[in-house]
Amino acid sequence: MEGAVSAYLLSRSTVDGYAAGIDQAARLLADRLRTVRQPYSGATEEQLRAAVDEVDLDRPLADGDAALREAARLYLDHAVWFHEPRYVAHLNCPVALPALSAEVLISAVNSSLDTWDQSTAGTLIERRLIDWTAGRIGFGPDADGVFTSGGTQSNLQGLLLAREDRLARQAQDRVAALPSLRVLTSRNSHFSVAKSAVLLGLSPDTVVTVDTDRAGRLDPVDLRRRLDALERAELVPMAVVATVGTTDLGLVDPVGDIAAVCRPRGVWLHVDAAYGCGLLVSRRRRGLLDGIEQSDSVTVDFHKSFFQPVSSSAIVVRHADTLHRIAVHADYLNPRGSGLPNQVDKSLQTTRRFDALKLWLTLRTMGADQLGDLFDRVVDLAAHAHTLLVGEDDFEVAAIPTLSTVLFRWRPSWLDPEACDELLPRLRSRLFARGEAIVAGTRHAGRYWLKFTLLNPNTTVVDLREVIELVRAAGQDLLAGDLAVAQVR
Ligand SMILES: *Cc1c(COP(=O)(O)O)cnc(C)c1O
């Protein structure tokens, strides 16, 4: 082939342009990483909107170089940097370098993991990683699973499988049975559980809230009571959802005790370990997962505690046949009995990225122990953060951390709790507007709390001290400003 139809499509004759483009993008990013000193520039929404809206998408720039520079100005200059040690807001991690090398490969080859003839070894690599994860969970050889776009999709699929499993065992007709199905979970489970129930066509009162213990973990005794009550009301428990690592407090539901309630009754147990899955590779805290091997399905978000770039998540099931039940066959794609492995039968998606290669390259380069040690480190850091906050007179802490989150309030003794509830969201916005530190905020036990979510092993105790100081300074500034306004009035 002499030359290419377009210099911008990947082909044998554009490989030089391809390599130069990747190199250029990598160098641009490297330059930014060398100069970035805080998690956010502090640009306002108005400023960014004006800059983005100004671009005329119908008039391309002179060349790729100009386009990259424009993207750097619009995006990189004002990105939120999760690798910055004072980014301590949400469940975002600094990403593992081997996974970034994998990204280069998978986006250029552009494999699609739906059928063998679009992925070949990709399918086998994904399957090995699912088997490896199932092994870490403690499932037997009958386990299976598939990579998904994230914990939300994994939870949806877990509940879909639970629904299908239950309906397959019901004598009643599908449509007639749906309104009687119930999902039991604690108030601290992820909102995607309730969202999934809606998507699955279940009735609005499907989700039954199980009481928690004093810490906020699902109480297996109350679970038993509620299952009995459902039975008396002739309602059908479709699934129990336990959480390993609740989003706010990082709580770990007692999975073993919950499984002991579910198993004799044949109730599907789904474990949402989107956050806590890093425990699967922890050398010091694997015990927190005890009992997970008795569940029916597990959500794992590698893009949280395995330091993978988004997206990288999976649903793993104890029995492969429960997963295969959702297969739908298309003549052009996955006809029955082709004899070749395909993943589309197990997935809610059709065209699907080969995200598994990122985890593969990470495990083959770093090894599981090193990943687990990094997760252990952020859990240790949360304990340090707790100690620091407890030592400050003007800070309150919600609980001793289990994983790597800490809920706290800045409240000088003379500030009443209601005024503090009003102040803290403003304090959080002010920090974001300065960009020096980013913390999260949430409501817990009727109050507004600030939150550290620690997923960056490079964050140090010194960084945490600085963030605490920034929080205090922002609070004092705001109160001084309020006072000045009140005096003018
Ligand atoms: C993050 C999270 C989810 C959702 O996962 P996404 O990857 O954001 O879709 C579900 N459950 C828990 C407990 C989470 O922390």
Side-chain angles (χ1 to χ4, degrees), residues 338-489:
S338 83
L340 287 166
N342 83 65
Q343 297 292 83
V344 72
D345 288 357
K346 309 176 204 170
S347 178
L348 300 185
Q349 295 165 259
T350 305
T351 305
R352 190 163 54 83
R353 283 168 56 85
F354 182 23
D355 289 313
L357 188 67
K358 298 183 289 192
L359 180 60
W360 180 273
L361 225 60
T362 305
L363 287 174
R364 300 302 294 145
T365 308
M366 295 171 64
D369 285 350
Q370 204 181 135
L371 282 176
D373 291 350
L374 292 176
F375 188 57
D376 271 329
R377 197 180 159 97
V378 294
V379 178
D380 290 341
L381 187 66
H384 285 301
H386 179 261
T387 308
L388 284 180
L389 290 162
V390 166
E392 304 287 341
D393 289 342
D394 50 350
F395 281 83
E396 301 171 339
V397 188
I400 295 174
T402 307
L403 296 182
S404 67
T405 61
V406 190
L407 261 54
F408 64 95
R409 281 155 69 84
W410 177 70
R411 184 164 82 85
S413 56
W414 51 267
L415 190 68
D416 65 53
E418 289 69 33
C420 182
D421 286 341
E422 186 273 330
L423 177 77
L424 293 182
R426 289 196 288 138
L427 192 163
R428 185 176 164 244
S429 304
R430 188 183 184 92
L431 283 180
F432 191 83
R434 298 255 168 105
E436 295 166 296
I438 303 181
V439 303
T442 190
R443 293 199 72 86
H444 164 70
R447 299 259 164 246
Y448 189 90
W449 296 78
L450 298 175
K451 176 167 78 166
F452 286 157
T453 303
L454 304 168
L455 265 191
N456 185 349
N458 288 317
T459 299
T460 63
V461 174
V462 174
D463 292 314
L464 291 177
R465 271 192 227 284
E466 282 173 17
V467 177
I468 290 170
E469 208 40 66
L470 287 166
V471 168
R472 176 183 286 129
Q476 287 169 342
D477 271 7
L478 283 169
L479 289 179
D482 291 352
L483 195 64
V485 169
Q487 277 165 354
V488 169
R489 284 206 188 114

Side-chain angles (χ1 to χ4, degrees), residues 158-341:
L159 289 175
L160 167 67
L161 301 180
R163 186 190 74 181
E164 292 308 300
D165 185 64
R166 176 49 75 181
L167 291 176
R169 290 187 279 143
Q170 286 294 109
Q172 238 176 342
D173 145 84
R174 283 181 74 86
V175 176
L178 281 180
S180 62
L181 299 182
R182 293 293 178 271
V183 174
L184 297 92
T185 192
S186 93
R187 67 187 149 80
N188 291 323
S189 67
H190 194 258
F191 74 94
S192 56
V193 172
K195 198 166 166 179
S196 299
V198 174
L199 289 169
L200 291 170
L202 306 177
S203 78
D205 49 359
T206 291
V207 180
V208 175
T209 304
V210 181
D211 288 351
T212 56
D213 64 11
R214 288 169 61 99
R217 293 171 300 210
L218 190 147
D219 175 11
V221 176
D222 189 58
L223 174 62
R224 192 188 303 271
R225 266 199 302 269
R226 294 200 186 257
L227 287 169
D228 289 342
L230 288 183
E231 197 174 307
R232 283 195 301 274
E234 293 184 1
L235 294 169
V236 182
M238 175 191 113
V240 170
V241 179
T243 313
V244 171
T246 60
T247 312
D248 277 343
L249 285 169
L251 297 167
V252 176
D253 287 339
V255 179
D257 294 343
I258 294 168
V261 175
C262 294
R263 300 224 72 186
R265 298 167 186 249
V267 176
W268 186 285
L269 174 56
H270 176 73
V271 175
D272 178 2
Y275 171 18
C277 60
L279 296 169
L280 290 170
V281 285
S282 162
R283 287 189 279 187
R284 290 163 48 208
R285 296 186 173 87
R286 173 61 177 79
L288 282 170
L289 292 176
D290 283 351
I292 196 171
E293 71 286 351
Q294 296 182 61
S295 65
D296 297 284
S297 54
V298 179
T299 287
V300 287
D301 257 5
F302 300 116
H303 61 219
K304 286 179 180 162
S305 45
F306 275 69
F307 305 98
Q308 296 296 293
V310 177
S311 292
S312 182
S313 176
I315 172 90
V316 185
V317 299
R318 160 198 289 284
H319 292 302
D321 57 342
T322 59
L323 189 57
H324 290 271
R325 194 178 278 143
I326 63 165
V328 176
H329 297 276
D331 291 334
Y332 65 88
L333 195 66
N334 59 336
R336 283 175 202 282
S338 83
L340 287 166

